[in-house]
Amino acid sequence: MITFRRLITSFLLAAGLGTGLAMGAEAKTLVFCSEGSPETISPPLAITGTAMDAARPMFNNLVEFARGSTELRPALAESWTISEDGLGYTFKLRPGVRFHSNEAFTPSRNFDASDVVFSLARQWKEDHPFHAVGGGQFDYFVDMGMPDLIAGIEAVDAMTVRITLTRPEAPFLADLALPFNAILSAEYADAMLAAGTPEKLDLEPIGTGPFAFADFRKNIAIRYRAFDAYWRGRQPIDTLVFSITPTPAARMTKLTAGECHVSAFPSPGDVAEIKRDPNLRLMSLSGFNIGYLAMNTERPPFDDVRVRRALNLAIDRKAILDEIFAGTGMAAKNPLPPVLWAYDDTVADIPYDPGEARRLFEEAGINEGLEADLWYMPVNRPYNPNGRRMAEMIAADLEPLGVRLDLKTADWDIYRQTLQDGETTLSLYGWTGDNGDPDNFMHTLLSCTAARKGGNNIARWCDRSFENLVTEAKVSADQSERKRLYDEAQAVFRDQLPWVPIAHSVFLAATRAEVKNFVMDPLGYYQFEGVDLE
């Protein structure tokens, strides 16, 4: 029988050819059991947390969140100034930062302003030589409203960049810390374009991060090697492996056997076992997330608010929380998580009231029931630990209303694309905040801008009163005024209910006892800079 450890060893040896990585007995390899195969390993193309986790080891941003917090700190930019009108951001860049190399490319210079201009302009300008490379879909950039927000990007000199905005934007600095704004190598892009292989920019990434790309085998593993010239210093581990392991049970088995050192998203049902095992460590944080059932409001009868309200009343959230979350979740009523400063707890809870749901169906003229597709997630997340079971419970709750559901799913990348292309009627999805700002939920998930093919507003809900409130909140620098606007927007959401908000969860991580310096990310990412093995 071929063991997982032998498979990983063979993978490392095969993928390590030509990388210059020493594979001696003293080398340290940390294996992370990730929950899915990423749709990309290039940050501007990433839209899921799986892909952002996979891209993060290789890249840096101008600014970043300090480990374990949402506090912004300098990264590739040593400092910055903001103009009095809030429209101009000038960044002084960090000198002496080096890029990775690979078999096809060796950098001739250090990081400078041209790399910043390239990385942002590629997503911003449709006539940019690399805009169409990789498909030309920079969904996160678009959903965050960046194309209309940016007025100009210029290199003032080799180590200074100025970004000009069309309007003040309260979360702009935090947005620059998100993975889609990672800094790529303009020189590498030029070299690959000249070689006739521009796609390598995204398939074999070059960054400035703590780890360099070594190999990616879809649905199997991703391997990275420590970057000797990293500007913060070389990492204590030599090789980082993402072992793609979709099921929680398989991840738990590998973790217990010592075949991986860190496991993504342990099942709530495994918590007690992890706590009992002296070789394992359980970590938890209040979740910065929301799990929900989206209703496609462009498809009748879900364009009728009475039908949407009826579904909200017919679903027993408590039963879902008790069975699926096992004490790691709380019922949701808002699109914002309770740990966020803009959360409005005065919004009324959504009761479980099948009788009122039936009355609303009759009022809406649905007397003979209806049929619909319900898509459930093929991967587990803290906000949805068991997509299949949740779908089954929702189907059972809606059956007395005469709602007959056809349960469907697909591989994660196809699933995500199907939802974002508006090809589903009912779909289970969720979100973990990326930047610590309410805009990342309210605008990214529910704005009219995001209600498009490829956008994150999978309910296709466009409410102009909601849109005006969240857009006004983006431009205000006064947090109390932003809170007032977001309170009003949450009231609009509660009235119109394009989703069935289901749960906010605790974020869990499990590690082997020999893992040192692993810090949980409040935004739900798995980061390995500075992590060591005893």
Side-chain angles (χ1 to χ4, degrees):
M1 180 179 181
I2 298 175
T3 66
F4 171 81
R5 191 172 280 124
R6 284 176 59 195
L7 285 171
I8 283 294
T9 301
S10 299
F11 171 80
L12 291 174
L13 290 171
L17 294 176
T19 66
L21 176 66
M23 295 299 293
E26 73 282 358
K28 289 183 180 181
T29 296
L30 186 145
V31 179
F32 167 54
C33 277
S34 65
E35 81 291 352
S37 195
E39 71 272 13
T40 181
I41 53 174
S42 180
L45 303 179
I47 196 68
T48 66
T50 303
M52 294 175 195
D53 277 339
R56 193 176 294 270
M58 301 176 286
F59 291 95
N60 297 117
N61 292 47
L62 290 175
V63 298
E64 66 185 14
F65 298 115
R67 289 181 71 204
S69 80
T70 55
E71 178 186 349
L72 284 170
R73 68 178 183 182
L76 293 182
E78 284 191 318
S79 64
W80 55 87
T81 57
I82 305 172
S83 62
E84 289 188 8
D85 61 7
L87 300 179
Y89 290 71
T90 302
F91 297 89
K92 293 294 183 181
L93 305 183
R94 186 177 302 278
V97 175
R98 294 174 60 181
F99 279 101
H100 309 153
S101 61
N102 60 24
E103 291 182 351
F105 172 74
T106 300
S108 66
R109 62 167 178 81
N110 290 340
F111 156 76
D112 66 22
S114 66
D115 302 304
V116 179
V117 174
F118 168 81
S119 301
L120 299 181
R122 176 200 181 185
Q123 302 179 77
W124 179 44
K125 292 289 189 181
E126 293 184 2
D127 60 353
H128 191 280
F130 272 82
H131 187 81
V133 174
Q137 280 191 269
F138 304 101
D139 291 332
Y140 212 129
F141 188 86
V142 174
D143 283 357
M144 295 295 286
M146 302 293 277
D148 295 330
L149 175 63
I150 295 176
I153 308 166
E154 61 176 319
V156 178
D157 57 45
M159 300 306 292
T160 308
V161 172
R162 180 179 298 119
I163 302 175
T164 306
L165 306 183
T166 59
R167 62 178 186 269
E169 179 88 348
F172 181 65
L173 271 179
D175 291 346
L176 289 180
L178 299 185
F180 74 91
N181 282 322
I183 304 304
L184 286 65
S185 167
E187 185 185 16
Y188 180 49
D190 290 342
M192 294 304 97
L193 189 63
T197 56
E199 68 280 358
K200 284 190 174 182
L201 179 73
D202 300 310
L203 298 177
E204 300 175 14
I206 291 288
T208 61
F211 294 93
F213 173 72
D215 195 51
F216 175 25
R217 301 188 182 185
K218 189 173 177 62
N219 297 317
I220 299 175
I222 314 169
R223 190 179 71 89
Y224 315 83
R225 52 189 169 84
F227 181 36
D228 290 339
Y230 182 48
W231 56 275
R232 279 201 184 102
R234 192 188 189 281
Q235 295 301 293
I237 59 174
D238 303 287
T239 307
L240 174 64
V241 176
F242 278 37
S243 175
I244 297 164
T245 313
T247 67
R251 294 197 297 274
M252 183 64 185
T253 297
K254 291 179 181 179
L255 185 72
T256 303
E259 294 172 351
C260 66
H261 301 98
V262 179
S263 172
F265 309 125
S267 168
D270 291 329
V271 166
E273 182 180 348
I274 295 170
K275 288 181 176 180
R276 284 194 301 267
D277 191 330
N279 296 311
L280 304 181
R281 299 288 182 268
L282 181 71
M283 307 171 74
S284 66
L285 280 176
S286 295
F288 202 68
N289 58 32
I290 172 70
Y292 57 91
L293 172 70
M295 295 170 275
N296 190 331
T297 60
E298 292 181 340
R299 293 187 176 185
F302 301 101
D303 56 344
D304 188 329
V305 68
R306 293 170 297 184
V307 176
R308 301 198 298 269
R309 290 172 182 165
L311 260 65
N312 269 271
L313 295 169
I315 292 174
D316 188 347
R317 289 171 180 76
K318 184 178 185 303
I320 290 174
L321 287 165
D322 289 346
E323 178 168 336
I324 296 177
F325 288 84
T328 65
M330 64 173 289
K333 60 182 179 180
N334 283 327
L336 293 176
V339 295
L340 195 52
W341 56 263
Y343 180 81
D344 183 10
D345 199 29
T346 66
V347 169
D349 291 333
I350 301 171
Y352 174 52
D353 191 343
E356 176 63 9
R358 191 173 297 107
R359 188 195 70 77
L360 286 169
F361 256 42
E362 293 172 356
E363 185 180 309
I366 302 175
N367 299 312
E368 298 181 1
L370 61 90
E371 296 181 357
D373 51 283
L374 169 57
W375 289 69
Y376 64 89
M377 295 170 59
V379 297
N380 70 303
R381 289 286 191 274
Y383 53 72
N384 190 339
N386 189 333
R388 172 76 190 191
R389 182 59 186 143
M390 188 180 291
E392 291 170 346
M393 294 182 74
I394 288 171
D397 284 342
L398 298 184
E399 187 177 4
L401 289 179
V403 178
R404 297 173 296 279
L405 297 180
D406 181 14
L407 304 189
K408 297 183 177 183
T409 193
D411 289 341
W412 179 230
D413 52 349
I414 297 172
Y415 181 88
R416 175 192 58 83
Q417 195 65 55
T418 302
L419 269 59
Q420 291 178 325
D421 286 349
E423 297 175 5
T424 64
T425 305
L426 303 175
S427 45
L428 289 169
Y429 209 49
W431 190 258
T432 299
D434 291 322
N435 66 0
D437 194 278
D439 177 73
N440 190 238
F441 288 84
M442 303 292 270
H443 192 275
T444 303
L445 302 181
L446 291 163
S447 70
C448 296
T449 304
R452 58 180 178 82
K453 184 175 181 179
N456 273 312
N457 186 347
I458 60 174
R460 292 296 189 274
W461 179 64
C462 179
D463 184 288
R464 289 299 170 184
S465 61
F466 181 93
E467 178 84 359
N468 292 338
L469 288 165
V470 298
T471 300
E472 187 178 348
K474 286 167 71 74
V475 305
S476 174
D478 183 342
Q479 184 165 306
S480 62
E481 174 62 9
R482 296 186 76 204
K483 176 71 168 68
R484 182 188 68 78
L485 293 165
Y486 284 128
D487 283 352
E488 291 186 28
Q490 286 168 88
V492 174
F493 173 91
R494 178 64 177 80
D495 179 66
Q496 294 297 307
L497 290 173
W499 300 347
V500 178
I502 294 174
H504 309 286
S505 76
V506 172
F507 176 41
L508 300 173
T511 76
R512 299 284 304 175
E514 59 266 29
V515 175
K516 303 299 177 187
N517 302 323
F518 177 80
V519 177
M520 290 195 72
D521 188 325
L523 301 176
Y525 294 115
Y526 289 88
Q527 300 192 51
F528 296 96
E529 182 172 351
V531 178
D532 198 359
L533 290 172
E534 188 174 64

